[in-house]
Amino acid sequence: MQSTGTHDPATTPTHCPYCALQCGMNLTPVEGGTVEVSERADFPVNRGALCGKGRTAAAVLAPGARLTSPLVRSGDGALVPAGWDEALDRIAGNLERTRARYGADALGVFGGGGLTNEKAYALGKFARVVLGTSQIDYNGRFCMSSAAAAGTRAFGLDRGLPFPLEDVPRTGCVILVGSNPAETMPPSLRYFTELRENGGTLIVVDPRRTKTAEQADLHLAPRPGTDLALALGMLHLVVAEGRVDEAYVEERTSGWEEARAAAMAHWPEHVERITGVSVPELREAVRLFCAPEAAMVLTARGPEQQAKGTDTVGAWINLCLATGRAGRPLSGYGCLTGQGNGQGGREHGQKADQLPGYRRLTDPAARRHVAGVWGVDPDSLPGPGRSAYELLDALGTDVRSLLVMGSNPVVSAPRAAHVEERLRSLDFLAVCDVVLSETAQLADVVLPVTQWAEETGTTTSLEGRVLLRRRALTPPDGVRGDLEVLHGLAGRLGVEKGFPTDPEEVFEELRRASAGGPADYSGIDYRRLAQENGVFWPCPAPPAPDGTGATDSATDSGVGTGTGTGTGTAPHPGTPRLFLDRFATDDGRARFVPVAHRPSAEEPDDEYPVLLTTGRVVSQYQSGAQTRRVAELNAAAPGPFVELHPRLAARLGAAEGDPLAVVSRRGRAVAPARITTGIRPDTVFMPFHWPGEGRANTLTNPALDPTSRMPEFKVCAVRVETVTP
């Protein structure tokens, strides 16, 4: 796939702009000033393999697919081209007027899990230092926040995978819960294939028989919203069958007796009635998981995007702890992070409750440290704000003006018609994006920003591996980087310093801000990332001779020359595997948390008798804002559909391809039927990549997890109706 633009004279090694695998790829100039995507075999995660999205990623760089000029809302309501000064002046003027009239918290900022670490860091700093608002969150709240909350609660630290993917084929058993990597991150499927080739077993937990489930030794198909009961039922059997690793529990954990008592209330027959998974299947899953010396549980959005997602993930972590499967080689709990920089995006300050380095905004020491790096009074930093959905729900009332960077909530947010209405009710909306997304179409000002191949910056993969994306193309005239946008707005709002446009300069500040925090990047610099194919955090800088720590590095016109190592001190190697010696809690012990099954926020009834679950397809990505502009991907996945079982189709009198209306308490979506025996008869599935009539998130329930504030995307009650053409 090719893209128009000027280029450097040599092949550029970089990383895919899509999922959290961050697959390595090469960009090579070809005749006519274009660039070609090719495999990059030296990157260990994908070893050269690319999915269709990665292979065609350059298509969105073409001028016809992307924005190349700022747009402003004219007097007649149309979006018309404008100059950069006019666009930035409009944004700054409206933000200032809103703040003067309603206060700083009337300003909102909504970020994205696809932003580089540098941009996520700068956006969080901009919100708190320039705008003075607490009202900042990002779409990563919709992605893995429940896993993050559960991991922090149990281990004292959240990193998607506490081990590299290369460990997966070497373990004895993997339970994959609510994940379909065959479609969501295809190059990763080889790890599970190699697991089985090496004699290990794969258990897939999913209400659908996905392409991944077809590869499994055992497929468990629970009713949506019952993963928590399933995990508790397995833990009950671990106890009843004498499979608890008592020595490990005694030596490395706390809270077992309470968690054990909670699990024993979920006996197998009770769990079978809740989940639909038979007792023999439960017993077989426990046998397969406990038989080998090492095993893993990996979760994804299925168990996490629930109003009890934190407790659900916690139940799977309890299973790992009871069997001694955490903090040991080739064992553990991990989360398969979704968005390209979903991990780094939540570490460096664009979440409502966090400061850079994964520091807590409510921690006085964290506030002092970060404020010192930023050169501001700690007391000037606002406290925690609203979570993502709560922020969107407050638009037009408490929050009057909004800056969106790298997100498309009109398609991706739950109860999307309501969110669209809230966006329309704003006094002012500004959107920075590479394409005219559905959210950008509602904006008063749209700023065209650079893409992955046109900018340098870092991302952090699902493994916790910090990576360097390199610039391969000069962006088209009229396009600027997000860092330039924040620099321009900060200056117009009276903050002349502190928002550089050079990503390496921003990263150097990020290193200092993260130093000593849970996600410590202070020992990482651009040169190391280029030389080592990425570095796993935490990676602290060694102490300098004066004991202050070394986080400064010299730079040149290339990717950076500093080592961040201090004089005469070897650099920290990074941390591919966490928790082998101790957990990140005060006493070094992992915490069992007692949890109990509870119903979903919305259960079926006579009016809405069917369950809806949502997800992705292989040829589209997230809200589809970019992939829906690629002809090859659209040919493979042209639009939404409703997947349903033949028994449900027969009751409705529906045939393959017939239009079906799926109706929830929040709205109605229409899409053609796709009939398959690979889904439960009480469940329908819709992919969420499309806007308009087939928008799946029109239907989804914004009920929030009390800890993570994750909406319940994965289960809601609906009815399904045939539609007369």
Side-chain angles (χ1 to χ4, degrees), residues 38-60:
S38 60
E39 69 177 34
R40 179 184 163 198
D42 71 308
F43 187 61
V45 173
N46 62 309
R47 294 176 252 166
L50 294 170
C51 72
K53 295 186 290 293
R55 285 188 297 98
T56 61
V60 188

Side-chain angles (χ1 to χ4, degrees), residues 7-310:
H7 55 77
D8 297 327
T11 294
T12 303
T14 189
H15 296 273
C16 179
Y18 292 116
C19 82
L21 284 181
Q22 288 296 281
C23 292
M25 58 170 56
N26 286 321
L27 301 182
T28 306
V30 296
E31 185 178 354
T34 59
V35 66
E36 183 177 65
V37 173
S38 60
E39 69 177 34
R40 179 184 163 198
D42 71 308
F43 187 61
V45 173
N46 62 309
R47 294 176 252 166
L50 294 170
C51 72
K53 295 186 290 293
R55 285 188 297 98
T56 61
V60 188
L61 295 163
R66 51 95 58 83
L67 295 168
T68 56
S69 170
L71 303 173
V72 299
R73 189 73 61 182
S74 66
D76 64 3
L79 283 171
V80 298
W84 270 92
D85 283 342
E86 178 186 356
L88 291 172
D89 286 347
R90 281 207 191 189
I91 296 173
N94 277 280
L95 294 178
E96 188 58 64
R97 283 190 291 275
T98 298
R99 182 167 60 183
R101 182 172 182 181
Y102 299 106
D105 275 355
L107 303 177
V109 176
F110 199 84
L115 300 179
T116 63
N117 290 318
E118 292 81 358
K119 292 190 285 189
Y121 171 84
L123 187 63
K125 181 181 179 183
F126 176 82
R128 295 179 174 104
V129 172
V130 178
L131 301 181
T133 183
S134 66
Q135 300 304 301
I136 175 172
D137 212 83
Y138 83 128
N139 62 17
R141 178 79 67 171
F142 299 156
C143 192
M144 72 295 294
S145 58
S146 292
T152 301
R153 194 165 68 178
F155 306 131
L157 181 69
D158 156 55
R159 195 180 82 186
L161 293 181
F163 41 74
L165 277 167
E166 67 184 41
D167 286 0
V168 170
R170 300 163 56 208
T171 192
C173 178
V174 171
I175 302 179
L176 194 58
V177 189
S179 178
N180 182 18
E183 296 201 66
T184 59
M185 45 182 67
S188 72
L189 190 62
R190 68 171 59 187
Y191 291 100
F192 302 101
T193 301
E194 291 170 5
L195 164 73
R196 299 184 70 213
E197 290 173 349
N198 292 340
T201 54
L202 175 63
I203 301 170
V204 171
V205 179
D206 199 303
R208 303 167 61 222
R209 188 163 181 80
T210 63
K211 292 181 180 179
T212 304
E214 290 173 355
Q215 309 298 313
D217 297 281
L218 177 63
H219 172 213
L220 306 179
R223 182 175 178 268
T226 64
D227 312 85
L228 175 52
L230 182 68
L232 288 165
M234 290 182 64
L235 183 53
H236 178 109
L237 286 171
V238 164
V239 175
E241 295 176 359
R243 298 180 184 271
V244 175
D245 188 332
E246 301 285 359
Y248 172 93
V249 168
E250 175 66 25
E251 180 183 351
R252 300 203 60 187
T253 73
S254 63
W256 167 233
E257 289 306 319
E258 295 83 356
R260 177 185 180 279
M264 297 315 287
H266 298 76
W267 60 96
E269 292 77 11
H270 179 51
V271 169
E272 179 181 72
R273 288 193 294 273
I274 294 171
T275 66
V277 176
S278 70
V279 173
E281 288 176 312
L282 282 172
R283 293 188 184 279
E284 178 65 1
V286 169
R287 185 189 71 79
L288 292 173
F289 184 65
C290 294
E293 183 176 347
M296 299 173 178
V297 172
L298 305 178
T299 67
R301 307 301 79 76
E304 298 163 16
Q305 288 182 327
Q306 298 183 31
K308 52 182 181 291
T310 301

Side-chain angles (χ1 to χ4, degrees), residues 545-556:
D546 63 1
T548 61
T551 58
D552 293 328
S553 71
T555 62
D556 61 12

Side-chain angles (χ1 to χ4, degrees), residues 395-417:
L395 299 181
T397 53
D398 295 331
V399 177
R400 308 300 294 255
S401 292
L402 182 70
L403 172 65
V404 176
M405 188 171 283
S407 188
N408 187 19
V410 166
V411 178
S412 63
R415 197 185 174 196

Side-chain angles (χ1 to χ4, degrees), residues 358-642:
Y358 231 148
R359 288 181 158 92
R360 289 182 294 109
L361 191 54
T362 55
D363 179 358
R367 293 170 66 88
R368 286 194 300 271
H369 174 85
V370 174
V373 174
W374 289 351
V376 300
D377 184 339
D379 292 338
S380 71
L381 298 178
R386 293 175 172 88
S387 70
Y389 179 77
E390 292 166 304
L391 173 57
L392 295 171
D393 190 41
L395 299 181
T397 53
D398 295 331
V399 177
R400 308 300 294 255
S401 292
L402 182 70
L403 172 65
V404 176
M405 188 171 283
S407 188
N408 187 19
V410 166
V411 178
S412 63
R415 197 185 174 196
H418 172 72
V419 169
E420 181 177 348
E421 176 186 313
R422 293 291 84 217
L423 285 161
R424 292 181 184 276
S425 74
L426 283 164
D427 294 349
F428 181 77
L429 172 64
V431 174
C432 304
D433 210 329
V434 300
V435 297
L436 192 64
S437 69
E438 288 72 23
T439 302
Q441 291 171 28
L442 305 180
D444 298 286
V445 178
V446 182
L447 299 180
V449 292
T450 51
Q451 299 186 57
W452 57 288
E454 300 164 348
E455 59 188 12
T456 294
T458 63
T459 62
T460 306
S461 74
L462 79 170
E463 301 177 298
R465 189 194 303 250
V466 186
L467 302 165
L468 182 64
R469 283 189 192 164
R470 299 166 174 88
R471 174 170 166 160
L473 292 172
T474 299
D477 291 340
V479 174
R480 296 184 184 179
D482 294 283
L483 295 178
E484 294 177 272
V485 170
L486 295 175
H487 173 85
L489 291 176
R492 284 167 170 80
L493 291 167
V495 180
E496 300 291 340
K497 296 182 179 180
F499 290 88
T501 60
D502 175 21
E504 188 171 9
E505 187 177 347
V506 176
F507 189 79
E508 290 302 307
E509 184 177 302
L510 182 157
R511 293 174 64 196
R512 296 192 296 274
S514 74
D520 191 335
Y521 284 30
S522 61
I524 305 172
D525 61 24
Y526 275 26
R527 174 54 61 94
R528 283 195 67 180
L529 296 178
Q531 291 177 339
E532 300 176 28
N533 249 338
V535 178
F536 292 87
W537 72 260
C539 183
D546 63 1
T548 61
T551 58
D552 293 328
S553 71
T555 62
D556 61 12
S557 58
V559 297
T561 59
T563 62
T565 62
T567 303
T569 306
H572 189 285
T575 314
R577 296 169 181 86
L578 297 171
F579 312 140
L580 294 181
D581 299 318
R582 69 189 310 275
F583 295 97
T585 55
D586 290 341
D587 61 5
R589 291 172 172 265
R591 307 276 192 259
F592 281 99
V593 177
V595 294
H597 175 73
R598 57 186 184 272
S600 298
E602 190 174 81
E603 291 287 337
D605 57 22
D606 291 342
E607 187 176 1
Y608 301 98
V610 177
L611 291 170
L612 168 70
T613 192
T614 63
R616 287 168 48 187
V617 297
V618 67
S619 293
Q620 300 289 351
Y621 181 73
Q622 304 300 80
S623 75
Q626 296 183 51
T627 51
R628 285 187 275 112
R629 287 165 169 80
V630 180
E632 180 179 329
L633 300 178
N634 280 336
F641 56 86
V642 180

